[in-house]
Amino acid sequence: MSRTRFGDLSIRGKLTALTVLSSAVGLLLAAAALIAYAWTSARAGYERDLHTVAQMLSGNSTAALVFRDRKAAIENLGALRAKPEIRLACLYASAATEVFGSYAGDADGTCPASPEAPGLYRDAAAQTLVRAVELDGERVGVLRLTQTLQPLQDALWRQVQITFTILALSFGVSLAIAWRMQGSISAPIVALAGTARRVTETRDYEVRAAGGGSDEVGRLVEDFNRMLNRIAFNEREVSQARDALEREVAQKSRANAELEQALQRLRDTQAQLVQSEKLASLGALVAGVAHEINTPVGVGVTAASTLAARAAQLRERFKSETLTRSELDRFVAVAEESTRILLANLNRAADLIHSFKQVAVDQSSGERRRFGLKKYLEEVLASLNPQLRRPGHTVSVDCPEGIEVDGYPGALAQIITNFVTNSLLHAYEPGQRGQIRIQARAHDGEIELQYRDDGRGMPPEDLSRIFDPFFTTRRGTGGSGLGMHIVYNLVTQMLGGQISVSSTPGEGVEFRVTFPVSRKETAHDRNTAVRA
Amino acid sequence: MSAALMNWFRHSGRACMLALLCAGATAPAAALAEGDLEHKVKAAFLFNFARFTVWPPAKFAAADSAIQFCVLDKEALAAALDETLRGKTIEGRAVAVRRVVRGADMRGCHVAYVGGAAVEQVATALEALAGSGVLTVYDGDETLRSGAIRFFLEERKVRFEINAGATGRERLELSSRLLSVASVVQR
């Protein structure tokens, strides 16, 4: 107990120690105070007593002193037998250096030859009072009394013994009482502490603390249980919320993964679609080329076969020698005509092939170069001619000569192709003959290109979504929903320009594209160019 | 006090006496009652008698009237008394010595020493002072009715006897402390 710190004691020990120590300290202090008070008051009483005795004796001794009656003086001092604590009394005649009379309570007492100056002299075991004996203000002698404190010390010692006996007894009693009583306070607290530790260790919040009356400890137990209730409730709620959250997160991440996959699929599909769109337009080009070339080649074949037939006829006549001059002239005329037709049509085919070749190369290679805008627009439209001419649509190009563009002609070709395809697909009713107008103007280093059809137009709600990917009003009938989206991307990324669309239902659609004459080369352009 | 000390006291009496004379106030112990010394002791005793005595108020004309010490027919004592009382007071009163030649002249005194060789002469003088409230003192071997205090020698020491009857008749109040050191008779 003495080696352990008070703070480390158990509550049981603390309570006991507290009770016992406080009662012991209280008793000790009270006893010390009582003893000190008893000692000082007894000593003061002794001193008072000594003064009284001295006063009485000196009063009684005056006559004996002035009449030099030693016997009377000694008799007078003999009255001190009633005061055993006064061990020695010495009477001196005034100014005399020898003892006039004396009284000794015990055999050892010897009076000094001359008295000390008047006053009280204390030491541990005794106190000595020296007092002048006066008669009518005149000093007639000196009285010296020595009082032993032995009885006082004995009494004090007995008191200390009694006090400590009582102290020991009450210490024992309070120890016993404290040990018995502390249980009512400490037991519920110890139980509570045990419960708290169990709860902490097992994390089982359904455990409840028992016991506790209606005192503070009882309320503590109640509050603790209430707290446990709340913790248990919160724990349940938290775990429920956590489970719900985990489920939700799992769902979300599953959904997210699905979305990611879908997005990836979508991107793949988009890329495929863009590729197939490109291929489709190439296919359309090839079809146009085949169709266009078919006519001159067919005419050429006809002319050539006519020429061949006439040549065979000529050889027959020449062999049978029935060739007439007029016949030869007609043959020459036919041959000249046939050759002229043949040449014209072959030239036409060669021209066509050249322009188609240019468009096809631009579209497939995506190279940047300088080109004449008007000529290029006409070449693109020529490649689209078969699709336009069959339903009887007409296309007019209004473009000043000499506009040179430094950029991506393939992108421009694809934009025009998609505009035309879009008009053919959506704008016109079957049998309707449409009028498509393309107008290009250059000012302030920018090209403004207007494409206009006179079809049925678009409602505003469709118009606002026309550049969105996969937006189509013709799904299932050949519309991929990517054409206009590709146009948008080509304008903004390849040409570095802007595109807007406007429409009045029943009057047609107008696209307006603006882009710089000279495309500034940037890293972004290079990337998109490579990708395109 | 031990017997040896008492013995020493007795044999070195003269030296001791000188010391006492120098002290002046308290009279010397009643040893060696011869000549001047005896008178000095008796003079001191007379002075001390007055200190332990209370007179009837009528004996004093005023609150600060002097206490009269009268000596009849004993010049040696009167001279010693002169010496003893010089510069003394008793409870604020001055003290004075008067030498008288007739006993009747002492009625106004407070302390009266009545000298005289013959007992009858002393007795007559004392009788003349009866009823005057005077503390009368005399020397002798027998107690006289009208004398308040009688000096006598015992073991060569001056002792005194108080006649309580006489002091009572003269309405003198003697302190019990005085009585405690005297032999007391009732006459």
Side-chain angles (χ1 to χ4, degrees):
Chain A
M1 188 109 154
S2 60
R3 284 193 176 271
T4 55
R5 286 177 54 245
F6 183 75
D8 298 334
L9 289 177
S10 65
I11 287 181
R12 178 184 299 253
K14 267 182 199 151
L15 281 172
T16 307
L18 206 65
T19 317
V20 170
L21 279 179
S22 58
S23 70
V25 167
L27 283 168
L28 209 63
L29 284 175
L34 278 174
I35 289 169
Y37 177 73
W39 170 255
T40 51
S41 64
R43 189 153 181 171
Y46 254 51
E47 203 179 307
R48 240 182 354 260
D49 205 29
L50 188 61
H51 277 287
T52 308
V53 167
Q55 191 174 9
M56 190 196 75
L57 276 180
S58 64
N60 289 346
S61 300
T62 48
L65 280 167
V66 296
F67 293 109
R68 305 296 303 156
D69 193 336
R70 286 173 189 274
K71 214 176 102 198
I74 290 163
E75 267 173 26
N76 204 12
L77 294 178
L80 290 172
R81 268 188 288 278
K83 290 270 177 196
E85 70 273 15
I86 296 181
R87 289 296 167 87
L88 185 62
C90 312
L91 190 63
Y92 301 83
S94 180
T97 51
E98 85 284 333
V99 180
F100 182 71
S102 71
Y103 159 82
D106 55 9
D108 310 334
T110 307
C111 288
S114 61
E116 299 89 337
L120 185 67
Y121 301 90
R122 290 193 183 91
D123 60 44
Q127 49 192 12
T128 296
L129 181 67
V130 179
R131 190 185 197 278
V133 179
E134 291 182 341
L135 176 60
D136 191 20
E138 185 194 345
R139 180 165 161 172
V140 297
V142 174
L143 180 66
R144 182 183 185 278
L145 295 180
T146 301
Q147 182 187 39
T148 179
L149 298 177
Q150 194 58 47
L152 204 59
Q153 286 168 338
D154 290 348
L156 182 78
W157 178 236
R158 270 195 304 282
Q159 202 165 352
V160 167
Q161 283 171 325
I162 290 167
T163 304
F164 273 92
T165 309
I166 291 172
L167 208 63
L169 281 174
S170 60
F171 190 82
V173 169
S174 71
L175 188 69
I177 290 173
W179 193 253
R180 285 187 71 84
M181 297 285 282
Q182 54 79 27
S184 68
I185 300 170
S186 69
I189 294 178
V190 168
L192 187 64
T195 308
R197 186 174 305 121
R198 208 157 55 245
V199 168
T200 311
E201 280 167 359
T202 62
R203 297 186 141 275
D204 178 7
Y205 297 107
E206 305 301 331
V207 174
R208 289 293 175 269
S214 55
D215 60 351
E216 289 89 336
V217 176
R219 283 202 291 280
L220 182 65
V221 169
E222 251 173 60
D223 290 345
F224 181 75
N225 283 338
R226 213 170 295 151
M227 192 177 76
L228 280 181
N229 280 338
R230 290 193 57 176
I231 291 175
F233 180 73
N234 288 351
E235 187 80 358
R236 278 197 296 276
E237 286 219 316
V238 165
S239 79
Q240 279 170 6
R242 194 176 51 222
D243 290 350
L245 201 65
E246 277 171 2
R247 277 198 300 276
E248 207 166 318
V249 166
Q251 283 174 0
K252 284 278 155 65
S253 53
R254 228 174 10 251
N256 221 23
E258 284 169 4
L259 278 175
E260 287 277 351
Q261 285 175 5
L263 188 62
Q264 193 51 49
R265 276 203 300 275
L266 213 56
R267 285 199 180 120
D268 294 348
T269 310
Q270 190 176 2
Q272 284 172 9
L273 281 171
V274 169
Q275 196 59 36
S276 62
E277 196 73 1
K278 207 182 250 180
L279 288 174
S281 76
L282 271 177
L285 190 71
V286 170
V289 168
H291 186 85
E292 281 302 290
I293 289 171
N294 195 36
T295 307
V297 169
V299 172
V301 167
T302 306
S305 55
T306 305
L307 189 59
R310 283 306 192 92
Q313 209 178 356
L314 188 69
R315 188 185 303 167
E316 286 297 321
R317 294 289 186 176
F318 185 71
K319 216 177 262 179
S320 62
E321 294 181 357
T322 58
L323 183 64
T324 63
R325 185 168 183 92
S326 62
E327 269 182 335
L328 186 63
D329 286 344
R330 274 201 305 275
F331 174 76
V332 169
V334 168
E336 279 175 351
E337 178 63 15
S338 298
T339 310
R340 191 189 55 80
I341 290 169
L342 205 55
L343 205 58
N345 278 287
L346 283 175
N347 275 332
R348 167 92 180 126
D351 282 351
L352 281 171
I353 286 165
H354 180 261
S355 65
F356 292 157
K357 181 181 155 200
Q358 191 59 63
V359 173
V361 165
D362 285 341
Q363 284 205 16
S364 57
S365 74
E367 264 177 27
R368 176 179 178 152
R369 66 181 175 89
R370 290 183 72 89
F371 58 95
L373 184 60
K374 181 174 166 58
K375 185 163 179 286
Y376 194 72
L377 285 174
E378 281 168 350
E379 280 176 0
V380 170
L381 287 171
S383 73
L384 294 168
N385 220 14
Q387 291 159 281
L388 290 165
R389 227 173 7 204
R390 211 175 302 133
H393 303 309
T394 58
V395 180
S396 67
V397 174
D398 173 13
C399 180
E401 294 286 348
I403 296 178
E404 286 271 311
V405 176
D406 178 10
Y408 297 95
L412 187 61
Q414 210 169 344
I415 288 163
I416 298 296
T417 306
N418 278 334
F419 283 157
V420 170
T421 312
N422 192 52
S423 292
L424 293 178
L425 203 56
H426 300 289
Y428 301 114
E429 302 293 335
Q432 189 182 356
R433 288 165 180 267
Q435 183 82 34
I436 292 169
R437 281 185 296 189
I438 296 171
Q439 188 182 35
R441 292 287 183 271
H443 48 80
D444 298 340
E446 287 216 318
I447 306 292
E448 185 181 314
L449 190 71
Q450 277 184 14
Y451 174 91
R452 202 182 301 156
D453 69 28
D454 54 352
R456 69 164 75 100
M458 292 178 82
E461 64 268 24
D462 288 349
L463 210 59
S464 64
R465 300 177 62 194
I466 188 166
F467 300 119
D468 290 355
F470 307 111
F471 172 76
T472 176
T473 55
R474 288 285 174 87
R475 194 173 307 285
T477 58
S480 66
L482 280 174
M484 284 295 128
H485 177 63
I486 289 168
V487 166
Y488 181 84
N489 285 336
L490 289 171
V491 170
T492 55
Q493 291 172 17
M494 294 296 281
L495 301 186
Q498 288 161 341
I499 181 168
S500 64
V501 60
S502 61
S503 171
T504 310
E507 291 182 16
V509 174
E510 181 186 314
F511 291 99
R512 185 181 294 266
V513 177
T514 55
F515 58 93
V517 170
S518 179
R519 178 80 171 103
K520 286 193 182 86
E521 184 85 14
T522 65
H524 173 78
D525 290 336
R526 271 196 299 279
N527 287 343
T528 49
V530 167
R531 254 193 278 151
Chain B
M1 194 184 290
S2 65
L5 201 61
M6 291 286 272
N7 208 26
W8 174 84
F9 218 98
R10 217 165 273 138
H11 291 292
S12 58
R14 189 165 286 277
C16 171
M17 204 57 56
L18 285 170
L20 287 173
L21 283 173
C22 293
T26 47
L32 307 170
E34 54 182 30
D36 283 350
L37 183 58
E38 186 186 331
H39 291 124
K40 285 189 197 313
V41 170
K42 283 178 178 171
F45 275 28
L46 285 174
F47 171 65
N48 284 320
F49 289 154
R51 293 168 108 177
F52 289 101
T53 303
V54 177
W55 283 269
K59 279 297 286 182
F60 293 103
D64 56 351
S65 297
I67 294 174
Q68 302 279 340
F69 287 78
C70 300
V71 179
L72 175 69
D73 201 18
K74 195 85 167 195
E75 179 49 35
L77 182 59
L81 201 54
D82 278 338
E83 193 75 20
T84 301
L85 296 188
R86 184 171 301 139
K88 293 280 167 54
T89 58
I90 297 172
E91 288 174 351
R93 295 178 191 275
V95 289
V97 180
R98 260 173 64 202
R99 291 166 177 78
V100 294
V101 289
R102 291 194 303 130
D105 294 341
M106 300 203 286
R107 290 188 71 88
C109 299
H110 297 95
V111 179
Y113 177 81
V114 179
V119 175
E120 290 77 19
Q121 193 187 344
V122 172
T124 307
L126 290 173
E127 287 301 331
L129 288 173
S132 60
V134 179
L135 181 69
T136 52
V137 184
Y138 63 99
D139 271 290
D141 294 331
E142 57 181 303
T143 306
L144 298 174
R145 189 177 177 276
S146 293
I149 299 175
R150 176 176 70 93
F151 282 135
F152 63 95
L153 289 178
E154 187 182 83
E155 293 174 353
R156 300 178 70 199
K157 280 194 261 177
V158 177
R159 300 279 293 146
F160 55 93
E161 177 201 80
I162 293 172
N163 181 355
T167 57
R169 280 191 297 276
E170 298 302 322
R171 288 180 290 119
L172 298 170
E173 290 174 26
L174 268 57
S175 166
S176 62
R177 288 183 280 171
L178 179 60
L179 299 177
S180 72
V181 295
S183 51
V184 179
V185 295
Q186 190 82 32
R187 182 72 47 89

